[in-house]
Every structure is written in C-alpha cells, then in structure tokens.
Amino acid sequence: MRRSLVLAASIVTLSGCTSFHLVQPNESLPPHATVAITFNEPRDLEARREATVYPLPQVGTVYGEVEATRSDTLVLRVLSIESSRRQPRLPAEARLAVVPGTSAQLSASGVSEQR
C-alpha cells in the first residue's frame, strides 16, 4: 500500500507541471522521455528482467521512460499501468518492449505552458 501512495503522489506531482501531447508518426523521442501508450482495447503485455517474464494482463495505458527505440519498438522502464486487472510488482530492472501500432495512441510528456 505504501508503494501505491508514493506512486500516486509522484503522478500528482508530475501532472502539476507537465502535460502529454500526441507523438506524430515522424517525431523522434528524446532520450529518457516519459511516454503514455493508450491502447484502443486492453492488451496483454510482458515485461522482462533477464530470463524472468512478468505478465501484464489487460493493460489499458502504460506510462514509462524510454530506454531505447528499435525500429517501431519502444523499450520502456515502466512507471505506472492502468488496468482493470491486478498487476505484478515489477523490479526496477524490468523492461517492457512494445510496438504502439495503429491500435494505440502514443503521447510524450513535456513542460506545461499553462500558468
């Protein structure tokens, strides 16, 4: 429970000074960009740490920090997941490789210009 509260406080703090904008098809993401991938329909994903696989069922939105971009695949350090299903606790070293595709919206965070 304590970890959930810390994560919720971090998201509230983050949302107060940043906003997300849709990433255009030819737009490059800066190193360590924070992104949100929202799927049109919930999707089952898998995060990995070495040989260990962590199933992530019915993910609606995943928030993460971009570790690498390989062709159409993003490798993320997962920050948060929105899902109707219970998710496993991921170790900090776990990474998620995901292809956003046409069935998802990719957004990146930036400094909010509203005051």
Side-chain angles (χ1 to χ4, degrees):
M1 173 96 177
R2 181 179 174 154
R3 184 176 182 174
S4 298
L5 293 175
V6 170
L7 180 58
S10 298
I11 290 172
V12 169
T13 302
L14 178 66
S15 65
C17 59
T18 62
S19 62
F20 283 87
H21 69 277
L22 287 177
V23 174
Q24 300 305 314
N26 58 351
E27 182 179 347
S28 63
L29 294 169
H32 305 291
T34 300
V35 297
I37 302 172
T38 302
F39 302 102
N40 295 341
E41 295 289 328
R43 186 186 288 183
D44 293 338
L45 303 173
E46 293 180 341
R48 297 177 184 272
R49 177 181 177 246
E50 298 174 1
T52 306
V53 176
Y54 300 89
L56 306 171
Q58 298 296 299
V59 174
T61 302
V62 61
Y63 298 89
E65 180 180 331
V66 176
E67 293 270 324
T69 303
R70 299 180 189 132
S71 185
D72 60 352
T73 304
L74 293 175
V75 179
L76 304 176
R77 181 176 65 86
V78 176
L79 301 174
S80 176
I81 293 175
E82 291 181 12
S83 175
S84 61
R85 302 279 303 273
R86 184 177 182 168
Q87 301 297 321
R89 179 176 293 182
L90 296 176
E93 300 83 13
R95 297 298 177 258
L96 172 66
V98 64
V99 178
T102 58
S103 64
Q105 291 184 343
L106 174 60
S107 302
S109 69
V111 177
S112 176
E113 297 190 19
Q114 295 179 339
R115 295 196 185 250

